[in-house]
Amino acid sequence: MITVKLPDGTQKSLPEGSTAADLAQLIGPGLARAAMASVVNGTVRDLRFPLTEGDTVRLLTTKDAESLEVLRHSAAHILAQAVQSLWPGTKVATGPTVENGFYYDLDVPNHKLTPEDFPKIEAEMQRIAKQGQVFERYAIPDIEARLAEFKQSGERYKAEILEKYKDSPEVTLYRNKDAKTGEEIWFDLCEGPHLPDTSWLKAFKLMSVAGAYWRGDAKNPMLQRVYATAFWDQKDVDAYLHQMEEAEKRDHRKLAKEYDLFSIEEEVGSGLILWHPNLATVREELENYWRKEHRKRGYEIVFTPHIAKRDLWDVSGHTGFYMENMYTMEIDEQEYIVKPMNCPFHVLIFKSRIRSYRELPLRLSELGTVYRYEKSGTMHGLNRVRGFTQDDAHLFCRLEQIRSEIVDVIRFVDDTLKLFNMQFDVELSTRPEKFVGEIEVWDQAEQALREALEEYGLKYEVNEGDGAFYGPKIDFKLKDAIGRTWQCSTVQLDFNLPERFDLKYTDKDGQHKRPIMIHRAIFGSLERFAGTLIEHYAGAFPTWLAPQQVAILPIADRHLDYAAEIEKTLREQLVRAKVDSSNEGIGAKIRHAQLAKVPYMLIIGDKELEKGEVAVRNRSKGDLGAVPMKLFLEQIQAEIASAGREVVTLPEKVSQ
């Protein structure tokens, strides 16, 4: 007999050789029917994985977060099996899970897969699923023999994979077997884990197909990569597909052309953004908010150069682990590097004179533009670029000040994201295996981060061992209007740079001590945050951010002079307004302003001219009636001043 431990601490005894499936049956028939995989000593395993004495076991059902990856991993095998069934001679490469789904790389002879093939492939996958073929893990006993078999049958991709892992203690493949006869139907090299059988796959959808070089090398054959997704319930598939449709409509690269926001020109280079006037206005407002809030919260704003001698980056350690991402140049026979980060400059500002404990915390902030080399295939609009501006800040403090500083940073992030009606999830990453600094300092710092999160009342997930080698960190994952998450805000403790640059401050007792350094960003980068906002709002920016806040629409030429007066009055009060002086009818002018997502339209006719009023139309609420020009100005100024807390203060209907 062996004894295993359950998550609640209870123990169960089973015969030697028992599996997680046997454990589920021992606990109860309901769990035996619901269990689809297990977690043994922290690793996700098949239900048929043999248990050993002292194992800690958690049984997984479809309600557990880990279950989706097992489902999708198994679905990838079923996809490859279906394609090989439909196009004999197809060679399979690899089929991993990815965020929200999976893919499989396939070498299909004499046929180019297209979305038109998807219904046929999905039907074959459904047929395989309904058969309930059993997934069986199998350790290869004679790797050389299997390798020779792969080479002889032309399975070059399996052969290369097996060659890579042939010296591992154990190499496994997964066989799909007939549930009744036990006959092998299909197999693939795989580490697992997998579902008990194929019948668990009920809700899936093939998404797209693209070319992909084997092992990402252009010298290798081009394979066909089929992307797909799978969920436990069809309603989740439908919700995901709807989200993808929304995401496609909101793609900031598409909206950039529609609303003239930004461009990336060949003459400038990949990953280098030209901000057009419309998006530049959004950026200006973000920067204005950023500067005002930093001043209010006790930060000091600095400016630093775009380049520095290589020596600086040698001391900081960047040349040791980041050199392939840095741009270099030679000036006066000395090597200079275009800055990939702002932190070493802020460190030198701290170090420029002797600091007292009374000056701490010292909070230095900068909208610093940095440059990093990214491979050409990884660039993506505003979200992944080679030149970007970080809303950087570095806080230098004493160990006992960490908690209060982190609370203030969390409050800053929370206040900022509320402006944009964004929620966020929080992750705390702790000490990795390789780290710098003293364990006692790490423990105190991690505890300070936990206490700060708990003091602010935030729920958070802990990523054990996922911190940087130089300090623990907190990441904020933004949620946009359609539920997607974006990594932007972060706060990172650093024990490394203060040590490398020998930073010191004079404490109360006159002794020199080492400060703790905190890296912190609210937006992350202005480029990525702007891209996020474009998609979050689908181009319909709130009034305070909108490139054009008011469209003035004269009905006839005789109303142009009054319209021009209104435009001048609004612009003098820093309201972004423009007259539509085209010859089109008022209906067409309203449509143009509506399509341009202008928050307010002021319609000017004879009655408005006579009374000195404006007929107000809101892009989402429609006609709001006529009001005196002075009242409209006061109310839109109040709305702009309220920033993201946008409230239409005009009455629903006023004088006609």
Side-chain angles (χ1 to χ4, degrees):
M1 300 293 285
I2 61 170
T3 301
V4 299
K5 186 187 295 183
L6 300 180
D8 63 1
T10 60
Q11 296 184 339
K12 296 289 182 181
S13 295
L14 304 96
E16 191 173 355
S18 294
T19 65
D22 297 322
L23 175 62
Q25 191 66 53
L26 177 65
I27 294 172
L31 182 57
R33 288 190 297 272
M36 42 69 64
S38 62
V39 179
V40 182
N41 302 326
T43 301
V44 181
R45 300 288 192 183
D46 302 326
L47 276 182
R48 297 186 183 90
F49 191 82
L51 303 178
T52 59
E53 175 65 32
D55 284 345
T56 298
V57 186
R58 178 163 61 92
L59 295 166
L60 296 180
T61 71
T62 59
K63 295 179 180 178
D64 292 295
E66 301 98 324
S67 70
L68 269 180
E69 186 161 354
V70 179
L71 169 69
R72 289 165 178 168
H73 194 175
S74 302
H77 276 221
I78 296 171
L79 166 61
Q81 182 182 353
V83 174
Q84 282 196 315
S85 173
L86 293 167
W87 289 277
T90 294
K91 303 296 186 286
V92 299
T94 55
T97 59
V98 292
E99 185 179 11
N100 297 319
F102 59 94
Y103 69 79
Y104 222 108
D105 285 343
L106 305 157
D107 189 345
V108 185
N110 305 316
H111 182 75
K112 183 177 181 180
L113 295 172
T114 68
E116 284 69 39
D117 294 315
F118 289 178
K120 181 164 60 172
I121 299 171
E122 289 171 345
E124 180 65 10
M125 291 176 68
Q126 288 168 346
R127 186 187 71 80
I128 294 168
K130 288 177 181 176
Q131 287 182 343
Q133 297 175 15
V134 175
F135 284 103
E136 181 185 75
R137 183 177 183 271
Y138 175 72
I140 301 174
D142 187 341
I143 291 178
E144 290 296 340
R146 182 69 73 164
L147 192 55
E149 179 187 320
F150 286 160
K151 290 178 180 178
Q152 185 176 0
S153 63
E155 291 282 3
R156 61 162 292 187
Y157 309 108
K158 289 182 182 178
E160 284 191 37
I161 295 169
L162 188 55
E163 187 75 45
K164 179 179 179 181
Y165 293 104
K166 68 178 183 179
D167 295 327
S168 301
E170 182 180 68
V171 180
T172 59
L173 55 79
Y174 271 79
R175 305 191 283 203
N176 286 25
K177 301 177 72 173
D178 187 289
K180 294 179 180 178
T181 67
E183 178 188 358
E184 181 182 294
I185 300 172
W186 189 82
F187 77 90
D188 194 13
L189 285 170
C190 185
E191 190 177 8
H194 284 285
L195 298 167
D197 62 69
T198 60
S199 69
W200 287 76
L201 178 65
K202 293 182 171 64
F204 63 94
K205 181 68 178 174
L206 302 191
M207 303 295 293
S208 62
V209 61
Y213 290 111
W214 170 235
R215 298 196 181 282
D217 189 338
K219 297 177 183 177
N220 289 333
M222 173 72 79
L223 304 177
Q224 300 188 63
R225 176 172 293 179
V226 180
Y227 288 93
T229 192
F231 290 88
W232 290 115
D233 194 288
Q234 186 59 41
K235 73 176 189 306
D236 294 322
V237 173
D238 294 340
Y240 176 71
L241 294 177
H242 175 70
Q243 186 187 66
M244 290 301 98
E245 289 173 8
E246 278 295 305
E248 188 175 353
K249 293 177 192 173
R250 293 166 179 261
D251 189 321
H252 72 281
R253 296 166 300 177
K254 173 177 171 249
L255 296 178
K257 295 177 182 178
E258 194 172 335
Y259 300 119
D260 192 20
L261 300 175
F262 72 91
S263 62
I264 302 168
E265 303 296 342
E266 183 62 33
E267 296 89 337
V268 178
S270 298
L272 301 171
I273 306 300
L274 298 178
W275 297 69
H276 294 199
N278 285 341
L279 193 60
T281 299
V282 176
R283 173 172 174 158
E284 180 187 6
E285 291 297 344
L286 292 175
E287 290 187 3
N288 290 342
Y289 165 81
W290 186 91
R291 291 188 180 91
K292 180 182 72 175
E293 288 299 317
H294 278 72
R295 293 293 188 196
K296 281 168 55 178
R297 296 170 193 261
Y299 288 78
E300 298 179 74
I301 295 175
V302 299
F303 298 90
T304 61
H306 286 243
I307 63 173
K309 292 179 182 178
R310 176 179 176 137
D311 295 355
L312 176 68
W313 309 104
D314 287 339
V315 175
S316 70
H318 286 92
T319 51
F321 69 92
Y322 207 72
M323 193 65 197
E324 69 273 14
N325 296 97
M326 295 158 71
Y327 298 100
T328 63
M329 64 180 74
E330 189 172 294
I331 302 174
D332 296 335
E333 299 182 351
Q334 282 192 305
E335 188 176 7
Y336 280 72
I337 291 176
V338 183
K339 67 174 176 180
M341 299 177 188
N342 301 299
C343 13
F345 296 96
H346 295 189
V347 167
L348 291 182
I349 291 174
F350 178 93
K351 195 179 178 180
S352 63
R353 62 179 176 81
I354 297 172
R355 302 282 177 178
S356 163
Y357 74 95
R358 296 179 186 276
E359 296 179 72
L360 305 185
L362 177 66
R363 309 180 187 100
L364 301 179
S365 58
E366 177 180 13
L367 288 168
T369 301
V370 299
Y371 298 88
R372 301 177 188 176
Y373 172 71
E374 300 283 356
K375 292 182 179 178
S376 58
T378 64
M379 250 88 70
H380 181 83
L382 291 169
N383 290 344
R384 197 168 183 96
V385 294
R386 286 176 173 164
F388 55 96
T389 301
Q390 289 182 304
D391 68 312
D392 237 345
H394 295 94
L395 290 62
F396 301 88
C397 63
R398 307 193 304 272
L399 186 60
E400 61 269 23
Q401 293 174 323
I402 291 176
R403 175 176 170 176
S404 61
E405 288 303 296
I406 298 300
V407 169
D408 287 345
V409 171
I410 293 170
R411 182 176 293 109
F412 199 167
V413 172
D414 193 21
D415 290 346
T416 298
L417 297 185
K418 280 177 180 174
L419 291 177
F420 310 101
N421 294 319
M422 283 184 172
Q423 297 179 329
F424 56 87
D425 293 327
V426 181
E427 292 179 355
L428 168 63
S429 298
T430 59
R431 185 178 69 246
E433 288 186 16
K434 294 183 179 180
F435 62 92
V436 297
E438 301 296 326
I439 288 183
E440 294 79 9
V441 175
W442 271 86
D443 290 343
Q444 286 179 266
E446 288 178 6
Q447 184 60 26
L449 295 185
R450 292 175 192 271
E451 290 175 356
L453 289 166
E454 288 161 9
E455 178 181 330
Y456 200 78
L458 289 181
K459 292 181 180 179
Y460 61 94
E461 297 289 332
V462 177
N463 286 339
E464 294 289 353
D466 200 42
F469 75 93
Y470 49 81
K473 64 175 181 173
I474 297 173
D475 289 321
F476 299 85
K477 306 291 180 70
L478 284 60
K479 289 184 179 180
D480 70 10
I482 59 173
R484 296 170 301 178
T485 57
W486 305 81
Q487 172 60 57
C488 290
S489 309
T490 187
V491 54
Q492 169 80 63
L493 269 61
D494 188 348
F495 312 129
N496 182 49
L497 287 183
E499 187 74 29
R500 281 181 169 271
F501 284 92
D502 193 25
L503 299 189
K504 297 173 184 174
Y505 68 90
T506 305
D507 208 358
K508 296 176 184 177
D509 57 7
Q511 298 295 312
H512 285 164
K513 293 190 178 176
R514 190 84 70 208
I516 304 294
M517 184 175 176
I518 301 174
H519 304 251
R520 186 244 65 194
I522 304 297
F523 295 139
S525 82
L526 290 177
E527 283 72 11
R528 177 175 291 181
F529 196 75
T532 302
L533 287 184
I534 293 167
E535 299 192 7
H536 177 58
Y537 291 122
F541 293 104
T543 304
W544 73 286
L545 284 176
Q548 183 180 346
Q549 295 163 325
V550 180
I552 305 165
L553 313 179
I555 293 175
D557 286 351
R558 62 181 177 276
H559 307 126
L560 282 171
D561 289 344
Y562 181 43
E565 285 179 32
I566 292 172
E567 180 187 62
K568 183 173 183 291
T569 299
L570 291 172
R571 289 196 171 198
E572 285 176 347
Q573 297 301 313
L574 301 181
V575 178
R576 296 185 287 274
K578 187 175 181 181
V579 174
D580 182 347
S581 57
S582 67
N583 292 325
E584 293 185 304
I586 192 62
K589 290 182 179 181
I590 291 172
R591 279 195 301 277
H592 288 323
Q594 196 76 32
L595 289 172
K597 306 287 178 72
V598 181
Y600 285 101
M601 289 150 262
L602 302 183
I603 299 165
I604 309 300
D606 291 336
K607 191 188 326 184
E608 288 74 30
L609 177 60
E610 180 185 340
K611 293 185 176 181
E613 293 182 337
V614 288
V616 184
R617 185 177 181 85
N618 178 271
R619 72 178 171 209
S620 57
K621 293 181 177 293
D623 179 23
L624 299 180
V627 296
M629 177 57 203
K630 182 180 179 183
L631 177 59
F632 173 76
L633 176 58
E634 290 173 356
Q635 292 175 333
I636 195 171
Q637 285 179 314
E639 185 176 322
I640 292 168
S642 72
R645 300 167 291 277
E646 182 176 4
V647 178
V648 177
T649 53
L650 294 167
E652 290 296 324
K653 285 284 183 181
V654 288
S655 62
Q656 298 301 311

